[in-house]
Amino acid sequence: EVQLVESGGGLVQPGGSLKLSCAASGFTFSSYGMSWVRQTPDKRLELVATINSNGGSTYYPDSVKGRFTISRDNAKNTLYLQMSSLKSEDTAMYYCATDGFDYWGQGTTLTVSS
Amino acid sequence: DVVMTQTPLSLPVSLGDQASISCRSSQSLENSNGNTYLNWYLQKPGQSPQLLIYGISNRFSGVPDRFSGSGSGTDFTLKISRVEAEDLGVYYCFQGSHVPRTFGGGTKLEIK
């Protein structure tokens, strides 16, 4: 059974940093691209980062480019999202998902507020 | 960016009714290799989105056959033939044909 378990969310002040993790199991993690998707308080879904299977290629939309960094450790079956220069508009539930978006984790919440 | 527009925003139904949700993209989702990457998701209350339909009309593993997808180009439809209580929640369409990949704004299926 495919499982994706996110962790690391919390309350951060504007301008702060945070690193999210996603532990994967039940499939060959190193063979799949992965993504982070966020759901804002108004329930809108937005792709925020994608990484290919070996970590050699990444994608970010303009809204997070230069502030967010996606990475992975295939030996640990873990996906990461390093977030910096956080803004209030980054407040959301963050999900990791397989790159076909066929499996999603349960999400971890980030709140950016002073 | 490709804008995905869903209608209606809210769909009140009675259990056993048929339900239909529309998704329109701002440009054709058929890409240069002839494939159309259009998915449908259901997000039940308190849960993460779950894949229902991929590639316009293919049901994901375990999805009941009362769910069906159709369409082409810029216009797509999700139909639920006989709504059951477990089908309630927010439905999202998604396009993976163009970068950045984008989601629709959601349609809430609720009891009338």
Side-chain angles (χ1 to χ4, degrees):
Chain A
E1 178 193 4
V2 172
Q3 283 203 318
L4 300 169
V5 180
E6 301 93 336
S7 60
L11 173 63
V12 179
Q13 291 189 337
S17 299
L18 200 67
K19 188 172 186 176
L20 307 182
S21 299
C22 170
S25 61
F27 66 106
T28 306
F29 179 72
S30 59
S31 296
Y32 291 87
M34 297 291 294
S35 291
W36 287 95
V37 178
R38 66 186 178 188
Q39 186 167 38
T40 52
D42 62 357
K43 302 304 181 184
R44 183 175 52 89
L45 292 166
E46 179 188 18
L47 172 65
V48 296
T50 295
I51 189 168
N52 71 345
S53 59
N54 66 12
S57 177
T58 57
Y59 166 82
Y60 308 93
D62 289 344
S63 57
V64 307
K65 193 176 294 182
R67 300 188 300 120
F68 288 14
T69 302
I70 189 172
S71 62
R72 63 191 298 158
D73 185 336
N74 285 345
K76 294 183 177 180
N77 289 346
T78 303
L79 179 72
Y80 302 101
L81 185 67
Q82 176 69 54
M83 304 180 291
S84 61
S85 302
L86 285 165
K87 308 174 182 180
S88 58
E89 52 262 44
D90 295 318
T91 293
M93 176 75 81
Y94 284 75
Y95 296 101
C96 68
T98 52
D99 199 47
F101 297 97
D102 41 4
Y103 296 100
W104 299 54
Q106 86 290 346
T108 188
T109 302
L110 168 67
T111 302
V112 182
S113 175
S114 55
Chain B
D1 298 5
V2 176
V3 177
M4 304 294 285
T5 302
Q6 289 183 232
T7 54
L9 292 179
S10 174
L11 183 55
V13 298
S14 298
L15 297 180
D17 281 357
Q18 175 174 285
S20 180
I21 300 171
S22 173
C23 177
R24 179 166 291 178
S25 57
S26 59
Q27 60 183 274
S28 175
L29 299 186
E30 182 175 346
N31 67 10
S32 56
N33 60 17
N35 294 324
T36 301
Y37 298 96
L38 185 285
N39 296 355
W40 289 96
Y41 296 85
L42 165 59
Q43 187 173 31
K44 298 181 181 181
Q47 297 185 18
S48 55
Q50 57 188 81
L51 178 63
L52 296 174
I53 301 286
Y54 64 95
I56 303 177
S57 59
N58 302 286
R59 279 187 299 277
F60 190 55
S61 175
V63 174
D65 60 7
R66 63 178 181 274
F67 290 92
S68 63
S70 62
S72 64
T74 61
D75 289 290
F76 304 91
T77 302
L78 175 71
K79 289 186 178 177
I80 311 169
S81 59
R82 297 168 305 279
V83 172
E84 298 187 6
E86 65 182 21
D87 302 335
L88 303 180
V90 181
Y91 289 79
Y92 295 92
C93 60
F94 162 84
Q95 69 82 18
S97 296
H98 302 286
V99 174
R101 294 175 286 179
T102 50
F103 293 86
T107 295
K108 188 173 185 178
L109 187 70
E110 52 194 0
I111 293 293
K112 189 181 295 182

